[in-house]
Amino acid sequence: MPGTRKQVGATGAQTVTISFAGFNRAWAAWTADRLERRGVTVVQQRWDPPVEVPLEESLRDLTLSRGRVLVILSDWYFQLGPRSHEEWNRALREVVAADPDRFAAVCVTTSALPGATSVFAAADLTNVGADEAERRLLVRLGLPTDPLPEPVDARPGIRYPADTPEVWGGVPRRNTRFTGREELLSKAYRALQDAGPGAGVVTLHGMSGVGKTQLAAEYVYRFGSEYDVVWWVPADRRALYRQKLAELAPELGLSTGAEYGERLRAVRDALRRGEPHSHWLLVLDGADEPEHIWDLVPTGPGHVLITSRNPEWSEHNSNLVEVPVYDREESVAFIRRRAPRLTPAEADQLADALEDLPLLLDQTAGWLNDSDMSVQEYIELLEGGIDQDVVKVSADFPLAFQTAWSILLNKLKDTVPESVDLLRLCSFFAPGSIPVRLLKEMPPGELPEQLSGLMNDPLLWNRAIGQLRQYSVVRLESHESVADEASSGESLYMHRMVHQIIGKDMPERDRQEFINVVRRALAAADPGRPTDTRLWPAYAEITPHLKWADVLRSTDPGVQGLVLNCLRYMYLSGEYRAGIKLGARAMEAWRELLGEDYSRVWDLRYHYANLLRAVGDYAGTEAIERAAVDHLRAERGPQDLEHLRAASGLAADLRGLGRYDEALNISSWILGAYRELLGDQDSRTLNAQNNLGTSMRLLGRYEEALELNQRTLEARRRLLRPRHSWTLYSEINYATDLRLLGRYGDALSLQNQSARVHRLVMGSDNPQTLRAEHNLALCQYRSGERAKAAALFTRVLERSERVLGEDDPLTMMFAASQSFFAREHADIDRARDISEKVVAGYVDMLGEKHPYVAGTRANHALILRNVGERDHAHTLLEEALADLTRAVGENHPWTLGCSINASALRNLVGDPESAAALTDSVITRAVEVLGRTHPLTLSARIAHAADLRGLRDLQRADKVETEALGDLAATLGEQHVHTVSARSRNRPYWDFEPQMI
């Protein structure tokens, strides 16, 4: 629809109607902007005349508009329909030549145009800069060319179309055969423009092969001049999406280190703030699983355009624009542009046979134009080639696709057979972006003869690629220049429809040969150190291809090592669910292929158990690890390293199950064995020392845990590096021990720095980063920085729910903290809702008798007390106290803390004697276990003073209170929240905190 644009600083009354092909919208927008600044009233009218209307009539309709008609000449303007040059020459002579003063033109192409276009006397805007182009435009329209004064509002003008945005990356080359879709482009544009800040997200969704990616690319080229940043990201896999988004950091000029997580965090923050650019466009291509990446979609002043087969993006604050197949007019126009020898009637027949699916039209029309086969013969071949036994490749695909592809494949075999070899090779990578450079980097001796020539002969390689590109089977993903395209071969893009069907016609001998090549290429690309966060982008690129290369059926030690390293990477990077799926498939395949006792199967059990343990399946992992421990001890002896590793996993399982004494015994023995075998400074010894410290902490032996974790941290800083993930993990452990010992200032200082480094190195959403930030929130809370803690508790819980899910052990740990914080800060309804879910979650995961169930029930009892349900609270708390005593003993800090709470409830239900006796007992035990000035001991002393006042023993109460207040001031400070609260005679309570295992 034509649209009139408002004048800016009008100095005259001239009107110009710009007639342009949709392909050249950017030129129309820039031209309108230049003219409007000089007071010209501009009407933009997209040129797309109906094919059934004579061209002369459509041109005459342009003269009905106001003022002069300015035509933007390009080959696209003349291709619409399409029309022949003869038709155009005849129409131009009849209409434009008869009234030349009504028409003017600018030319934006160097392509050959109909000869009669000379009647326009067009100003040539090709190969000149913006200032010269503007001067030529004004001269052609007879307007003054004097420079304009700077406007008061100094609004930025529309970017000159020949200039790309300041930041431009990953965008596919423009499809010069793009056809139609004008309404969809306009709809997407309006949806993004009308969205408020932070809400500019549009999803182009539709079935495979309808051209979603091509539509997004065309959107970028038509509207890209309105943005300062355009960045295209493959989004079919979360890890790859994170990697490609992180690569935007240096393009934005962000000062970051080389760490992957640091770059990603900086990019997301810069986009959110709109600095250094607020006009940005991010394209997420192939985001078919929104639940995997929706939490990583940037917010801010820019726009996000998504392509997806999944309409569930509407549930994640995205506007949906459905992309259907072509309508018949678009199909016919596209086919005739792709295959000019076909008549409109033949194009219509072909479109009907191929069900108007753009991808299939593109592949078929291209080679049909080069062949002697008639459309009718081709259609008969399609129909005759499908028998009742042929099924659809997918429910989304047209029935004709399989046969159409077979015909195309035969064409490729006859012309460039090497292109078929390359295509088949690519089918053993995941669909989408295929890193063929991994193949080209292999030594020649690793490749079969037929592939060695292809990979090492640039001319043959380029010929094969060119043939595949000609028929739209693949596209190159090197986007910077034509020269680069021929040489780099970094990656190819293969549509999932092509990928799914390419193996149907492959001889078994070729299949085995090609799949082995891809397996070896992936193994050769293994960086070998999954614990190094700097290498995670490489693993993120490799892991999606494991399934398609069927690596689990390989007996190659290098390929098996790759599988194990990828599982380790998935565990460390927090990709638990994907890792569990891979681990389960690997367990089944390797047991069958290699046997139960093969050494790599024991390695696999270890990694698989780690992943299962990370999601809370402690009973399942205990069974796996105990079987491994028993077998390896019997077969290899107790000092075998694989046996020690399995025993370490078993100790972790026991910690998860709440069997802390058993875990401690095993952990102590393992550490001694490692020291004897490997010495104090081996990384495995340090891991065992770290695990023993965790067992100590879970048993409430905080001083011993602190001493062990301090030694581990210092050794890891020396032997690994300060930013190694294990070093950072030790920082969390050490800061946790400091906090649990009441050394809040020291804990806060260390954890504040460590959380910052975690975000930089590992990324904001990594589970270890979430742990670091959660401990920081607890440090802030205990130190009295309640406002900071409130915001951080909320952010950590929200991110964990998105990334890990509500039932994940980490999420429940974070939720427990959020609940008691909300209770303390008068958000009692939220506290109760979260607490009920936490208790139920721990019961489901761990069973009724686990100490975490008792501890979180003790927390829940305090919420019930606050809402007036005293009797219920009292009963629940007494039950929790009994359960904790049975589970961890009466002298454990958890039991002592629960006792402080129980004494308060005993007072409330009218049993002050029992309350005072309980707090008196707690003081004795707490002094022995934690010391006289530990915060929990001090809380027990303050609570006991309150109990004594309840018994009217005021003299003893004052003495106990005065001494406790003095110790509080000396230990935590006069103005610490605990000191101030105790001075105001607010009774202290204790909160149970689930710990890391």
Side-chain angles (χ1 to χ4, degrees), residues 80 355 529 793 942:
L80 294 171
E355 302 179 33
R529 296 198 310 278
F793 274 136
I942 294 295

Side-chain angles (χ1 to χ4, degrees), residues 98 165 327 736 768 810 823 831 982:
D327 64 37
T736 299
Q768 187 171 315
L810 274 185
R823 184 200 75 233

Side-chain angles (χ1 to χ4, degrees), residues 596-633:
E596 289 280 353
D597 298 333
Y598 187 69
S599 61
R600 283 295 170 85
V601 176
W602 295 114
D603 293 335
L604 175 60
R605 282 188 174 95
Y606 170 75
H607 293 298
Y608 183 45
N610 278 345
L611 288 156
L612 290 173
R613 189 181 306 113
V615 298
D617 186 7
Y618 306 126
T621 54
E622 186 205 8
I624 294 173
E625 299 286 25
R626 192 172 293 281
V629 166
D630 292 344
H631 178 86
L632 291 169
R633 178 186 286 267

